[in-house]
Amino acid sequence: MDTEQKTVDVSFENLLRIFTVPEGPDSTLTKIEEELSRNLNQFLREHIVAEEKPLKEIEKDFSNPTIPEQPSFVSDHTQHLLDTLVSHSVHTSAPSFIGHMTSALPYFLMPLSKIMIALNQNLVKIETSKAFTPLERQVLGMLHRLVYQQNDTFYTQWMHSAEHSLGAFCSGGTIANITALWVARNNALKAQGDFQGVEKEGLFKAMKHYGYNGMAVLVSKRGHYSLKKAADVLGLGQDELIAIDTDDANRLCPSALAKQLKQLQQQNIKVIAVIGVAGTTETGNIDPLDEIAELCQQYQCHFHVDAAWGGATLMSNRYRTLLKGIERADSVTIDAHKQLYIPMGAGMVLFKNPDSMRSVEHHAQYILRKGSKDLGSHTLEGSRSGMAMLVYAAMNIISRPGYELLINQSIEKAQYFAKLITHQPDFELISAPELCLLTYRYVPEKTRKALKVASGKPLAELNDKLNELTQFIQKTQRETGRSFVSRTQLNPQHLEQRDTIVFRVVLANPLTQNEILQAVLEEQREIAAKAPNLNKQLMSLTNELLKK
Amino acid sequence: MDTEQKTVDVSFENLLRIFTVPEGPDSTLTKIEEELSRNLNQFLREHIVAEEKPLKEIEKDFSNPTIPEQPSFVSDHTQHLLDTLVSHSVHTSAPSFIGHMTSALPYFLMPLSKIMIALNQNLVKIETSKAFTPLERQVLGMLHRLVYQQNDTFYTQWMHSAEHSLGAFCSGGTIANITALWVARNNALKAQGDFQGVEKEGLFKAMKHYGYNGMAVLVSKRGHYSLKKAADVLGLGQDELIAIDTDDANRLCPSALAKQLKQLQQQNIKVIAVIGVAGTTETGNIDPLDEIAELCQQYQCHFHVDAAWGGATLMSNRYRTLLKGIERADSVTIDAHKQLYIPMGAGMVLFKNPDSMRSVEHHAQYILRKGSKDLGSHTLEGSRSGMAMLVYAAMNIISRPGYELLINQSIEKAQYFAKLITHQPDFELISAPELCLLTYRYVPEKTRKALKVASGKPLAELNDKLNELTQFIQKTQRETGRSFVSRTQLNPQHLEQRDTIVFRVVLANPLTQNEILQAVLEEQREIAAKAPNLNKQLMSLTNELLKK
């Protein structure tokens, strides 16, 4: 598979070459890699087509379900990847891509990732990972201390103990949340008398043994969708995930939680866990963790905090108090691929008690033998890559104060943007930023006045029309490819809790400057003007309301 | 964070640099990366310390649970990683590392991985992955066709359909198996009348609604340990994973399965799934898939095939018949990071019926909206990386005939090694290779004669002593670092099913030559001679037996 041959021969000799002979310095692949190493943003700007190609069109390039019978040259195929895949991928690290939690990466992580992949360790067991095992345990220890702030003796005793585990490194926050609830479920329905525990005998027998009428997991209405999935997978059922009301700032209402807990107790329904959200996906708000902790203590149930996104805030001495109470959680989910700026695929779940994960421990003959320090005996996943190395390197190279600066900067940028929006006559801030996430929408100046006097059906009609406009703006802006904000649906109290579509902005990219935020609003205003029919309808509803 | 500064300043300007300024051409990191790109094997040989350092010693380098308060220079930290981590990692791509399923990687995957990581796509939704979404669907289509061989119309209709899914790309085989059983469980306990399905109402209510006395998942004694974990997570309980007897070639006995199915039916226990293993982890054997399919059809239960390791054999026209019957499975697990030579973290589960995954479908407001083609609506995981790109590239560059050569070569190398072992007077082949995996042990020539006449207690004593010797050899060989075979415990019929520790060899690395296999035996023979006490005890038992 050489660039100089004209056809590729399927011979064992040629195959051996792809395992032993690197791409030459002049090969397409090497050149691309160098280009990317020299200036990633330029590379992406040059290779990603700005204007969106319809998915239907892109699909044509990926429509053949047959594994090729003829090999390709590496260079030819690399060119093909550039033309069909890279060109129509998403420029997630662009400073104007402020719609999702995926952001720019520090440069040093690119070559380090290559080293990690070349080493191809499997962290399921020591025999295929050796030093990577203590490294991952240390990374879990670092994050554990960030959350729980135990003393040195604690970590000396438990961090490398074969029979204990401070947490699990996972592919992402969903697996982390499932792991936390798996542990919570198994500890809530553990062995007792003749009953061998839910892990052995299953949920049906567990419920019969304990005599409960049902189970429940409680989380605010703004909990992440993965929790529903977790409730399904774990056999609880989505209905047993109970949504607790939130206040106007999208935070769980402790009084509503208390009421629900009491009611469930009276109904003999076992609460497996209460989940506090530290950084809701849609609005970035943080539940009152201390008050939830109090209630969990009172009702003796597992307290899990889903801090997949907001957990990194603990790096900031200035803002970590926003998460006060997290140290009382039995388990915490943190995603390093969000605000810790690690590539996709680095979730973690941490457990306050190093004994917690015993309820999900498993062993086998050929690996994970009892007494071994194999990480795989406490993880939901089996084979896993050495991603922990990237977290470790970033912790050392950026350091806590470095992360603090990044976090503070993001939060303060969101505060700036919120103020900017508030100062516009034709934009409405829907949720103010607590972390670096906010939501807003475009509302023509006159319509804003109408909104203030509207209620009931006229408000509903006006709001529906604004929803159409928001959707149109978001979609057009995305397709134009200059900038990207996402959208979601909220139910704000000042809009009588009506379904309201909003722009959602996450300001985690350190490269996003204030001018870009100004330009985003300008562009949205321009796009809004390009929907004459919608605007006409909107104005007619507005005038109707203002006439009254 | 520049190599020329002497102390690192935590300033926002310095932090911005790590996001915008690549490592210079003379930096330690760039040099290492180049060294690795030029000759990976040499790099690993030079940097990985051959002789094993005790884990306790390695742990000392990874004992600090505090996130540094002071940043490090990239170069300094890279050197630190080389000295503490890389040097004590496992050389998984060494031709003499034949103990596990982790092997060498084709060179072109290293730079491609870097491109994948730099693009940092999130495949949970189209908004953060665009062309990667149809690409992943195509990869799933290719693997689906490899297994099920449906016609073009089938793939045109379903491969890119928003409401359907041919499978799920996962972090590994464990998540793939859990996904398959999750789908099987939800389809077995689906909505009916007033009952809204197990996904909504949970297992307890599902069991009461259907009136079953219990549930069961059936797999041979040699099934992967992850299946126990799956049974636990899904709320079935490990006890409901029933182990079916195997024959002397470690293959599930269809008659034992038939008996069990009948019995469970009589007991009103619902069989959620029967699992066929295509490539057992310990011995590489393949269950009689056709016969299992027959029984599953008869008893109307989900047939899953765990082909995480052996599935790649389907690439070989010469050997794919070994897996005959797999095309009748309702779902199949295949790991691309095993015999498809992709880096760690590329599992897949495929479903024959594009409708199967509906029972685990989920939606949310901000993503995975109904009708969208977001991959996340059918995966257990949430955020996921663009690993599918590497599978896609490998399929194109290596092609099916290329993979066939690799697979054939591995199987035939195992056949060669089996023959080599059989020809030694002092080695005993325990399981002959069906794929490229075999097990054996060292038995002194005289002891082999004694083994043939021994039975009962004397056989047990002799076998225990041999177990000690096998363990000693395997451990010493690993610590010496010249070569690595793994070990497991089997219960061979010709040894009265006694617990027997064996060497386990996986010959998937195309760089492993016959001479290396000869050297492995030679080294094991030499190590055996270095255990005088064990040998003395063994000889005394041997002489005792031969005297009789």
Side-chain angles (χ1 to χ4, degrees):
Chain A
M1 311 212 171
D2 186 299
T3 44
E4 289 175 20
Q5 279 180 272
K6 274 292 163 234
T7 58
V8 199
D9 230 25
V10 183
S11 71
F12 192 66
E13 287 60 42
N14 269 342
L15 281 170
L16 270 189
R17 295 194 60 195
I18 65 167
F19 284 89
T20 50
V21 184
E23 298 311 301
D26 295 327
S27 71
T28 315
L29 189 50
T30 306
K31 277 190 205 148
I32 285 170
E33 200 197 346
E34 275 171 7
E35 200 186 322
L36 176 153
S37 300
R38 245 192 334 269
N39 192 332
L40 176 64
N41 264 301
Q42 189 185 322
F43 171 85
L44 297 175
R45 264 199 313 274
E46 281 172 11
H47 289 92
I48 299 182
V49 176
E51 218 157 317
E52 197 173 273
K53 186 171 167 181
L55 195 60
K56 274 266 161 241
E57 283 303 303
I58 299 177
E59 280 171 359
K60 287 183 187 157
D61 285 328
F62 302 99
S63 59
N64 189 349
T66 312
I67 300 169
E69 280 291 322
Q70 181 63 37
S72 299
F73 289 116
V74 172
S75 331
D76 292 352
H77 186 67
T78 306
Q79 193 57 51
H80 166 79
L81 285 176
L82 274 189
D83 297 342
T84 58
L85 183 70
V86 176
S87 61
H88 301 294
S89 62
V90 179
H91 191 346
T92 56
S93 63
S96 57
F97 180 88
I98 52 173
H100 284 300
M101 289 166 170
T102 316
S103 149
L105 298 175
Y107 254 99
F108 66 83
L109 286 175
M110 258 73 83
L112 281 184
S113 297
K114 191 167 147 189
I115 297 175
M116 174 197 91
I117 282 175
L119 289 171
N120 207 25
Q121 307 289 290
N122 182 350
L123 274 76
V124 71
K125 51 183 177 269
I126 287 169
E127 276 186 356
T128 49
S129 65
K130 234 156 68 181
F132 273 76
T133 290
L135 171 131
E136 186 170 291
R137 282 180 174 265
Q138 185 185 358
V139 167
L140 290 167
M142 284 174 164
L143 270 296
H144 190 279
R145 182 169 235 175
L146 182 70
V147 173
Y148 295 111
Q149 303 186 289
Q150 300 292 312
N151 60 22
D152 283 342
T153 321
F154 178 92
Y155 295 100
T156 309
Q157 191 163 4
W158 307 121
M159 200 161 76
H160 291 293
S161 162
E163 287 79 28
H164 299 82
S165 176
L166 299 183
F169 204 98
C170 338
S171 67
T174 298
I175 298 295
N177 280 337
I178 293 176
T179 303
L181 293 178
W182 179 28
V183 167
R185 187 200 68 183
N186 286 11
N187 281 322
L189 303 171
K190 65 180 169 220
Q192 185 188 60
D194 280 349
F195 176 64
Q196 290 189 284
V198 65
E199 65 272 28
K200 287 250 183 305
E201 301 197 28
L203 264 182
F204 186 48
K205 288 184 185 158
M207 294 297 284
K208 286 201 286 190
H209 169 80
Y210 278 99
Y212 297 129
N213 290 333
M215 287 172 292
V217 172
L218 276 49
V219 67
S220 95
K221 287 194 304 188
R222 301 253 83 88
H224 191 253
Y225 76 92
S226 67
L227 298 169
K228 258 199 175 163
K229 195 156 53 167
D232 171 1
V233 172
L234 292 167
L236 310 175
Q238 295 165 4
D239 290 351
E240 297 198 329
L241 183 77
I242 298 177
I244 307 294
D245 273 341
T246 48
D247 62 17
D248 201 26
N250 299 294
R251 299 188 195 103
L252 177 139
C253 280
S255 59
L257 175 63
K259 204 173 135 194
Q260 186 63 262
L261 282 167
K262 196 167 177 186
Q263 207 175 318
L264 291 167
Q265 197 178 45
Q266 284 162 353
Q267 295 170 330
N268 187 31
I269 288 174
K270 174 72 183 169
V271 176
I272 299 292
V274 177
I275 301 169
V277 188
T280 57
T281 311
E282 293 165 279
T283 59
N285 293 108
I286 300 160
D287 282 342
L289 304 179
D290 243 338
E291 294 172 72
I292 301 178
E294 207 57 44
L295 285 165
C296 285
Q297 203 171 347
Q298 190 184 327
Y299 284 88
Q300 290 284 304
C301 59
H302 187 106
F303 175 29
H304 175 65
V305 173
D306 181 359
W309 181 66
T313 313
L314 296 169
M315 289 283 197
S316 162
N317 291 341
R318 187 182 299 167
Y319 292 107
R320 69 167 285 147
T321 48
L322 288 173
L323 280 75
K324 209 178 150 297
I326 196 173
E327 71 286 353
R328 296 171 72 184
D330 296 297
S331 56
V332 172
T333 288
I334 292 183
D335 270 352
H337 58 239
K338 297 198 168 100
Q339 292 194 82
L340 292 177
Y341 302 95
I342 301 298
M344 203 49 61
M348 272 171 278
V349 57
L350 307 158
F351 290 89
K352 182 173 203 165
N353 183 342
D355 268 322
S356 289
M357 294 198 91
R358 288 230 181 170
S359 63
V360 300
E361 200 175 285
H362 42 267
H363 299 282
Q365 274 305 336
Y366 41 104
I367 55 163
L368 319 179
R369 298 178 190 104
K370 277 202 177 171
S372 87
K373 293 187 173 182
D374 292 344
L375 289 162
S377 54
H378 291 104
T379 55
L380 178 58
E381 293 163 278
S383 298
R384 284 185 307 107
S385 75
M387 283 295 287
M389 163 183 154
L390 304 185
V391 182
Y392 177 84
M395 295 280 183
N396 279 282
I397 292 170
I398 298 177
S399 81
R400 204 233 13 108
Y403 273 118
E404 159 140 31
L405 263 181
L406 291 167
I407 295 287
N408 294 355
Q409 230 268 343
S410 296
I411 293 178
E412 285 147 24
K413 201 183 299 167
Q415 290 164 353
Y416 164 82
F417 195 38
K419 203 181 277 176
L420 187 69
I421 291 166
T422 316
H423 285 159
Q424 310 299 311
D426 50 355
F427 279 92
E428 182 186 14
L429 186 69
I430 301 286
S431 65
E434 190 169 358
L435 298 173
C436 68
L437 207 164
L438 58 83
T439 63
Y440 67 103
R441 63 175 177 175
Y442 174 79
V443 184
E445 200 171 348
K446 205 168 171 190
T447 308
R448 288 191 73 183
K449 289 191 191 114
L451 261 186
K452 278 180 193 141
V453 298
S455 67
K457 196 165 165 249
L459 173 62
E461 279 175 6
L462 192 62
N463 213 47
D464 284 353
K465 206 42 76 186
L466 283 169
N467 284 349
E468 276 182 57
L469 184 62
T470 311
Q471 227 165 325
F472 169 77
I473 298 173
Q474 193 267 349
K475 212 164 158 257
T476 311
Q477 190 167 32
R478 189 191 71 207
E479 285 167 359
T480 316
R482 267 197 291 160
S483 47
F484 172 74
V485 304
S486 59
R487 68 168 202 268
T488 189
Q489 184 184 299
L490 297 174
N491 299 78
Q493 293 196 357
H494 76 280
L495 296 168
E496 297 177 351
Q497 305 207 352
R498 292 183 192 284
D499 291 351
T500 303
I501 295 179
V502 296
F503 303 131
R504 171 175 166 272
V505 158
V506 189
L507 290 168
N509 190 337
L511 309 179
T512 306
Q513 294 163 313
N514 292 349
E515 296 74 53
I516 288 175
L517 301 176
Q518 293 154 16
V520 164
L521 295 186
E522 208 43 66
E523 194 188 0
Q524 290 178 329
R525 190 175 278 135
E526 281 165 23
I527 295 171
K530 285 180 193 155
N533 275 342
L534 257 178
N535 278 308
K536 207 182 285 173
Q537 293 162 8
L538 204 53
M539 274 312 124
S540 137
L541 288 171
T542 300
N543 292 330
E544 196 77 30
L545 270 159
L546 291 180
K547 251 197 304 196
K548 289 180 189 164
Chain B
M1 312 210 171
D2 186 297
T3 45
E4 287 176 20
Q5 278 177 272
K6 273 294 164 233
T7 57
V8 198
D9 232 25
V10 183
S11 71
F12 191 66
E13 287 61 45
N14 269 342
L15 279 171
L16 270 189
R17 296 195 60 194
I18 65 170
F19 284 89
T20 50
V21 184
E23 299 311 302
D26 293 329
S27 72
T28 315
L29 189 49
T30 306
K31 278 191 205 148
I32 285 170
E33 202 198 342
E34 274 171 8
E35 201 187 319
L36 177 153
S37 299
R38 246 191 336 267
N39 192 331
L40 177 64
N41 264 302
Q42 190 184 323
F43 172 84
L44 297 175
R45 262 201 313 275
E46 281 172 12
H47 288 92
I48 298 182
V49 177
E51 216 156 319
E52 194 173 276
K53 187 172 166 180
L55 193 60
K56 273 267 160 238
E57 285 302 304
I58 298 176
E59 281 171 359
K60 287 182 188 159
D61 285 328
F62 301 99
S63 58
N64 190 349
T66 312
I67 299 169
E69 280 292 320
Q70 181 63 39
S72 299
F73 289 117
V74 171
S75 330
D76 291 353
H77 187 67
T78 306
Q79 192 58 50
H80 166 79
L81 285 177
L82 273 188
D83 296 342
T84 59
L85 183 69
V86 177
S87 61
H88 301 294
S89 62
V90 180
H91 191 347
T92 55
S93 62
S96 57
F97 180 89
I98 52 174
H100 285 299
M101 288 163 172
T102 317
S103 149
L105 298 175
Y107 254 98
F108 66 84
L109 285 175
M110 258 73 81
L112 280 184
S113 297
K114 193 167 146 189
I115 296 174
M116 173 196 91
I117 282 176
L119 290 171
N120 206 27
Q121 306 291 291
N122 182 350
L123 275 77
V124 72
K125 51 182 176 272
I126 287 168
E127 279 187 352
T128 51
S129 65
K130 233 155 69 178
F132 273 76
T133 291
L135 171 131
E136 188 170 288
R137 281 181 175 267
Q138 186 187 357
V139 167
L140 290 168
M142 283 174 164
L143 270 298
H144 189 280
R145 181 169 238 177
L146 182 70
V147 173
Y148 295 111
Q149 304 186 288
Q150 300 292 313
N151 60 21
D152 283 341
T153 321
F154 178 92
Y155 295 100
T156 309
Q157 189 162 6
W158 308 120
M159 200 161 73
H160 292 291
S161 162
E163 287 80 28
H164 299 83
S165 176
L166 299 182
F169 204 97
C170 338
S171 67
T174 297
I175 299 294
N177 280 337
I178 293 176
T179 304
L181 293 178
W182 178 29
V183 167
R185 188 200 68 183
N186 286 11
N187 282 324
L189 303 171
K190 65 180 167 216
Q192 186 188 61
D194 280 347
F195 176 65
Q196 289 188 284
V198 65
E199 64 273 27
K200 285 250 181 307
E201 300 199 25
L203 263 181
F204 186 47
K205 288 182 185 158
M207 294 297 283
K208 285 200 288 189
H209 170 80
Y210 278 99
Y212 296 129
N213 290 331
M215 287 172 290
V217 173
L218 277 50
V219 66
S220 95
K221 287 196 303 190
R222 301 255 82 89
H224 191 253
Y225 76 92
S226 68
L227 298 169
K228 259 200 174 164
K229 197 156 50 169
D232 171 2
V233 172
L234 292 167
L236 310 175
Q238 295 166 4
D239 290 353
E240 296 197 331
L241 183 77
I242 298 175
I244 306 295
D245 273 342
T246 49
D247 62 17
D248 202 25
N250 298 295
R251 298 187 197 103
L252 177 139
C253 281
S255 59
L257 175 63
K259 205 173 135 196
Q260 187 63 262
L261 283 168
K262 195 167 179 185
Q263 208 174 317
L264 291 168
Q265 195 176 48
Q266 283 162 354
Q267 296 170 330
N268 188 32
I269 289 173
K270 174 73 182 171
V271 176
I272 300 291
V274 177
I275 301 168
V277 187
T280 59
T281 311
E282 294 164 279
T283 58
N285 293 109
I286 300 159
D287 282 342
L289 303 179
D290 242 340
E291 293 172 73
I292 301 178
E294 207 57 43
L295 285 164
C296 285
Q297 200 170 350
Q298 190 184 329
Y299 284 88
Q300 290 286 303
C301 58
H302 187 105
F303 175 30
H304 175 65
V305 173
D306 180 359
W309 182 65
T313 313
L314 296 169
M315 291 283 198
S316 161
N317 290 342
R318 188 181 301 167
Y319 292 108
R320 71 166 286 148
T321 49
L322 288 172
L323 278 74
K324 206 178 153 294
I326 196 171
E327 71 286 354
R328 298 171 70 182
D330 296 296
S331 56
V332 172
T333 289
I334 292 184
D335 271 351
H337 59 237
K338 295 195 168 103
Q339 291 193 83
L340 291 177
Y341 301 96
I342 301 298
M344 201 51 60
M348 272 170 278
V349 57
L350 308 157
F351 291 88
K352 182 171 201 166
N353 183 341
D355 268 323
S356 287
M357 293 198 93
R358 290 235 178 167
S359 64
V360 299
E361 200 175 284
H362 42 268
H363 299 283
Q365 274 305 338
Y366 42 104
I367 57 165
L368 320 179
R369 301 182 188 100
K370 279 204 175 167
S372 87
K373 293 188 173 180
D374 293 342
L375 290 162
S377 55
H378 291 105
T379 55
L380 180 57
E381 293 164 278
S383 298
R384 284 184 308 105
S385 74
M387 283 296 287
M389 163 184 154
L390 303 185
V391 182
Y392 176 84
M395 296 280 184
N396 279 283
I397 292 171
I398 299 177
S399 81
R400 202 228 22 102
Y403 273 118
E404 159 140 29
L405 262 181
L406 290 168
I407 296 287
N408 293 354
Q409 230 269 344
S410 295
I411 293 177
E412 284 147 24
K413 202 184 299 170
Q415 290 166 352
Y416 163 81
F417 194 38
K419 201 181 275 178
L420 187 69
I421 291 165
T422 317
H423 285 160
Q424 310 298 312
D426 49 356
F427 279 92
E428 183 186 12
L429 186 69
I430 301 287
S431 64
E434 192 169 357
L435 299 174
C436 66
L437 206 165
L438 58 84
T439 64
Y440 67 105
R441 62 176 177 174
Y442 174 79
V443 184
E445 198 169 348
K446 206 168 169 192
T447 307
R448 291 192 73 182
K449 286 190 191 116
L451 263 185
K452 278 179 195 142
V453 299
S455 67
K457 197 165 163 250
L459 173 62
E461 281 174 2
L462 192 63
N463 213 48
D464 284 352
K465 206 43 73 186
L466 283 169
N467 284 349
E468 278 181 56
L469 184 63
T470 310
Q471 225 163 325
F472 170 78
I473 298 172
Q474 192 266 349
K475 211 164 160 257
T476 312
Q477 191 167 33
R478 188 190 72 207
E479 285 166 358
T480 315
R482 269 197 289 161
S483 47
F484 171 76
V485 304
S486 60
R487 67 168 202 266
T488 192
Q489 184 184 298
L490 297 174
N491 299 78
Q493 294 197 355
H494 77 280
L495 295 169
E496 296 177 353
Q497 304 207 349
R498 292 182 192 283
D499 291 351
T500 303
I501 296 178
V502 296
F503 303 129
R504 171 174 165 274
V505 158
V506 189
L507 291 167
N509 189 335
L511 309 179
T512 306
Q513 295 162 313
N514 292 350
E515 297 75 50
I516 287 173
L517 301 176
Q518 292 154 15
V520 164
L521 294 185
E522 206 43 66
E523 194 189 359
Q524 291 179 328
R525 190 176 277 137
E526 280 164 25
I527 295 171
K530 282 177 193 156
N533 274 343
L534 257 178
N535 277 309
K536 207 183 284 173
Q537 291 161 9
L538 204 54
M539 273 313 123
S540 136
L541 288 170
T542 300
N543 290 330
E544 196 77 28
L545 271 159
L546 291 180
K547 249 199 311 206
K548 284 175 188 168

